[in-house]
Amino acid sequence: MYAKFHSIGAYVPSKVLSNSDLEKMVDTSDEWILKRTGISERRIADVDENTSDMATKASKLAIERAGLESSDIDLIVCATVTPDYFNMPATSCIISDKLGIKNVQAFDISAACSGFVYALSVAKAFIESGMKKHVLIIGAEKFSSIVDYTDRTTCILFGDGAGAAVISATEDKDEAFIDVHASADGSYSDFLMTPAPGTVNPLSAQVIEEGLNFVQMKGNETFKLAVKTLTKDVKDILANNSIASEDIPHFIPHQANYRIIKAVGDALKMKEEQVVLTVGKYGNTSAASIPMAINEVWESGRLKKGELMLLDTFGGGLTWASALLPFAGESK
Ligand code: ACO
């Protein structure tokens, strides 16, 4: 039994936070943000719109587009670092309830921006082992809930959103995932973190006062490591599977920074039309970024059944991951 990428769905909140809005909040400029990141605007969820709400909307689309009912799903994996609740219950359990799915295994993955590709590797393993048939994987983030909107080095980068996919069992090898690679190096854990709440810094008045509940990032160090690691990772996955970069119609990288995407794309000698870009209008939506980008290219009609996708991502942990697989759902 093989795993196939059966369908995609996504959801973005309607509220737009533009660079000119941010100019009024912190000492920054539209010109600086565009030049250093390629971001023009990002979406921000309503106060009462939670990660599970966005995830549920994306999931409904993915299930419908796979031609399935919610009751066909036998595993739910939600990748998020901005769960509805920090300890329990898992956001995937809340999503299962909102989708009306009962008595099905559901758990979350914490791998920051790499979460969706990590979830792909989990779905592949469950399906290939014969344990599950239709796995709903989700990348969903309400990153605005952990961003300090007085810190210009981080608040310009992140946005909210969700993407979901159904990964199904198939006996047809032509539809199957070709390869998924996921890795981590915890010695860089301080490059990107939210120091609280957790056992190191339990919630306290001091934690709030010092803003330890907000995301902190060593941006420049992360940038350099991202370019180096991603370039090696995508070159390796292509070489290991004897596929040339010009044979990839859809290179769908994590949308953190246009300059990172450009550097990796150039190292692979990718043409502009091969590279999917959404960072300009959504910013970095962490685990949601790749499925949102896949959804964008599918909805535009450019991603057709059977066409190859190369995914690659990098995030807090540090974690990184890549995947090479055909889109096995129906074309739009
Ligand atoms: N507006 C204006 N100036 C700014 C801003 C801002 N918003 N932010 C920083 N600056 C200033 C800095 O203070 C610094 O000033 P100085 O030279 O006087 O000290 C100068 O701009 C340059 O700062 P750098 O941090 O060196 O800028 P850089 O070119 O590295 O861009 C950025 C910063 C955009 C954050 C970049 O480093 C980046 O994208 N890093 C990687 C992010 C990433 O990929 N993260 C991983 C995934 S995220 C996840 O897992 C959730």
Side-chain angles (χ1 to χ4, degrees):
M1 198 55 81
Y2 303 106
K4 69 169 183 181
F5 197 102
H6 197 166
S7 66
I8 187 73
Y11 168 80
V12 287
S14 52
K15 185 180 165 195
V16 173
L17 181 68
S18 68
N19 289 352
S20 57
D21 294 329
L22 284 163
E23 282 177 346
K24 295 172 200 128
M25 297 157 70
V26 288
D27 179 16
T28 192
S29 65
D30 175 46
E31 190 196 354
W32 191 97
I33 302 171
L34 254 183
K35 195 167 153 216
R36 299 283 179 129
T37 71
I39 302 169
S40 299
E41 57 186 46
R42 59 298 283 143
R43 300 298 177 95
I44 304 294
D46 277 342
V47 180
D48 61 354
E49 187 173 38
N50 292 304
T51 299
S52 66
D53 297 316
M54 295 187 282
T56 302
K57 286 180 177 153
S59 299
K60 280 184 177 163
L61 273 181
I63 294 168
E64 186 193 310
R65 289 170 180 174
L68 298 172
E69 302 291 332
S70 291
S71 53
D72 295 315
I73 300 297
D74 51 11
L75 172 65
I76 302 172
V77 181
C78 179
T80 185
V81 287
T82 49
D84 283 16
Y85 301 98
F86 262 96
N87 304 111
M88 58 184 151
T91 302
S92 53
C93 295
I94 299 167
I95 298 165
S96 74
D97 184 47
K98 289 181 176 169
L99 290 171
I101 299 176
K102 296 233 181 283
N103 305 323
V104 154
Q105 185 176 3
F107 60 88
D108 290 357
I109 285 183
S110 171
C113 304
S114 308
F116 184 79
V117 186
Y118 265 56
L120 269 183
S121 72
V122 171
K124 179 177 185 284
F126 267 96
I127 287 172
E128 287 179 355
S129 68
M131 284 176 73
K132 307 289 177 190
K133 284 200 166 51
H134 297 294
V135 183
L136 174 65
I137 61 168
I138 303 153
E141 304 280 13
K142 186 172 179 177
F143 229 85
S144 59
S145 65
I146 57 164
V147 165
D148 176 359
Y149 284 97
T150 65
D151 176 4
R152 69 175 182 171
T153 67
T154 53
C155 74
I156 55 145
L157 298 172
F158 297 103
D160 300 336
V166 176
I167 310 301
S168 296
T170 178
E171 288 177 358
D172 182 352
K173 198 163 191 307
D174 289 342
E175 293 186 325
F177 287 23
I178 296 170
D179 203 358
V180 184
H181 173 253
S183 199
D185 185 344
S187 65
Y188 295 108
S189 55
D190 63 335
F191 272 31
L192 189 55
M193 70 189 315
T194 44
T199 58
V200 175
N201 296 301
L203 200 56
S204 67
Q206 192 184 347
V207 156
I208 304 287
E209 200 180 316
E210 291 175 12
L212 299 181
N213 52 315
F214 292 125
V215 66
Q216 298 179 358
M217 184 171 69
K218 293 185 178 174
N220 200 264
E221 289 92 327
T222 309
F223 183 97
K224 287 180 197 149
L225 199 60
V227 172
K228 200 169 113 196
T229 310
L230 287 175
T231 303
K232 181 176 176 341
D233 206 41
V234 281
K235 279 187 173 169
D236 284 353
I237 200 169
L238 288 173
N240 291 342
N241 294 285
S242 307
I243 292 177
S245 60
E246 61 263 33
D247 296 331
I248 302 291
H250 307 287
F251 174 43
I252 308 177
H254 172 48
Q255 308 286 317
N257 184 321
Y258 172 69
R259 286 156 57 217
I260 296 177
I261 297 170
K262 173 98 171 74
V264 177
D266 285 353
L268 290 172
K269 301 194 169 57
M270 290 273 184
K271 295 197 186 94
E272 233 171 69
E273 59 270 23
Q274 290 174 276
V275 184
V276 176
L277 273 178
T278 58
V279 67
K281 55 182 183 177
Y282 300 134
N284 180 350
T285 56
S286 184
S289 119
I290 287 191
M292 280 167 60
I294 298 174
N295 184 67
E296 186 96 358
V297 72
W298 182 83
E299 283 194 347
S300 73
R302 282 181 292 141
L303 176 61
K304 303 265 194 275
K305 186 171 188 166
E307 286 183 346
L308 265 190
M309 305 187 284
L310 172 63
L311 317 179
D312 88 295
T313 185
F314 184 90
L318 290 174
T319 55
W320 61 96
S322 54
L324 196 53
L325 66 173
F327 179 74
E330 293 307 317
S331 313
K332 187 156 189 249

